[in-house]
Amino acid sequence: MVVEAAAQYLCARSILKEAFTDQADLEDDDKLDELFHRPRIARYFLLLRGQRPMGAGLIRLNPMVPQSIYVPYIAIRATDRGSLSTRRMKQLFAEFTRRIGVRRLLIEAENPRCMLLDGSYRRERVQRSAMRIYLLQRVLGTSFIGDPDPAAAYTRPASDDAQKVKASLLLGFVPIEPEPASFFNPERTAITIARYRQLYLELMQLDYGTETLVPTLSQLVARYPAIRDFMTRTNAYREGRRWASLYPS
């Protein structure tokens, strides 16, 4: 159910806060409230069992980026985890996305491999990130791009400071309609760098777009050093290599 009433929003926010207990993982209340009042570019949803909410999430959309939506948050209540089959979950999202006319979901997740190499993350957070990736792969069929080469590493602005780099992330995508085979290697273990960059650009446009403006690549690069860094590195990377590896399932 797409959230429209204030009471529904408060319920969705409560479920998200139950699931995302680390302040670094969830926007503050002011930002969440702001997005509720911007339905043209952000919508909350509730997953219901009968009339009882069992999960919630947020999508970022934009009529000027009609082919994709970005899903920054999705959560199932702890008492309901495992009660919804993966087949039914995929079906629900497929029905929902087809209804609003998009071709794919875009998702981000922290990269457990990079977190372990960094050494500054608590083990519980690394384990939680690995479990989130596993569930998104299993429940929604998400493919994550996770090439171990640092030149292809995913970087973006930090949520609290647009001038900072937020590292150790993976870009995930869930096709609602089959992606062309030409985007993948024959074994489907890698995606073209060109497609990787295109999906990245769409996600950044959804995240930083407004009701009246979707930033162009040149505008994003000029404003956000992290985006400029990613685009510069991957542009050089694709001169020597065509593919970026998909993260292991």
Side-chain angles (χ1 to χ4, degrees), residues 10-22 26 29 32 52-56 74-81 128:
L10 292 175
C11 178
R13 191 181 74 178
S14 175
I15 294 173
L16 292 176
K17 293 177 76 170
E18 285 177 22
F20 295 95
T21 55
D22 192 320
L26 186 67
D29 286 358
L32 295 175
R52 182 177 64 83
M54 60 180 291
I74 181 171
I76 304 293
R77 280 184 160 148
T79 53
D80 289 293
R81 289 171 195 163
R128 188 166 67 243

Side-chain angles (χ1 to χ4, degrees), residues 109-161:
E110 288 187 296
N111 187 338
R113 181 168 52 201
C114 292
M115 296 167 77
L116 285 171
L117 291 173
D118 182 276
S120 64
Y121 292 89
R122 300 190 311 274
R123 182 161 64 172
E124 294 80 6
R125 181 162 179 170
V126 178
Q127 292 172 336
R128 188 166 67 243
S129 296
M131 179 55 69
R132 181 168 187 264
I133 289 171
Y134 169 76
L135 290 174
L136 287 168
Q137 288 175 324
R138 182 171 178 269
V139 174
L140 291 182
T142 309
S143 296
F144 285 98
I145 305 168
D147 198 293
D149 191 327
Y154 182 90
T155 54
R156 62 162 298 159
S159 58
D160 62 340
D161 188 338

Side-chain angles (χ1 to χ4, degrees), residues 155-174:
T155 54
R156 62 162 298 159
S159 58
D160 62 340
D161 188 338
Q163 298 303 305
K164 293 180 181 178
V165 172
K166 185 174 184 179
S168 304
L169 293 178
L170 298 170
L171 171 61
F173 59 97
V174 183

Side-chain angles (χ1 to χ4, degrees), residues 16-44:
L16 292 176
K17 293 177 76 170
E18 285 177 22
F20 295 95
T21 55
D22 192 320
Q23 291 183 345
D25 294 336
L26 186 67
E27 301 280 6
D28 62 29
D29 286 358
D30 288 343
K31 180 63 175 179
L32 295 175
D33 293 351
E34 176 192 339
L35 291 173
F36 171 62
H37 294 290
R38 301 171 72 187
R40 185 174 169 83
I41 61 170
R43 301 301 299 263
Y44 290 88

Side-chain angles (χ1 to χ4, degrees), residues 222 227 239:
I227 297 177
E239 292 179 2

Side-chain angles (χ1 to χ4, degrees), residues 5 25 29 37 46 53 61 79 82 105 124 142 145 153 166 175 189 192 195 206 215 219-220 234 237 242:
D25 294 336
D29 286 358
H37 294 290
L46 288 168
L61 68 165
T79 53
L105 282 65
E124 294 80 6
T142 309
I145 305 168
K166 185 174 184 179
T189 58
T192 64
R195 186 59 170 169
L206 290 165
Q219 289 171 327
L220 288 165
T234 55
Y237 180 89
R242 182 184 179 191

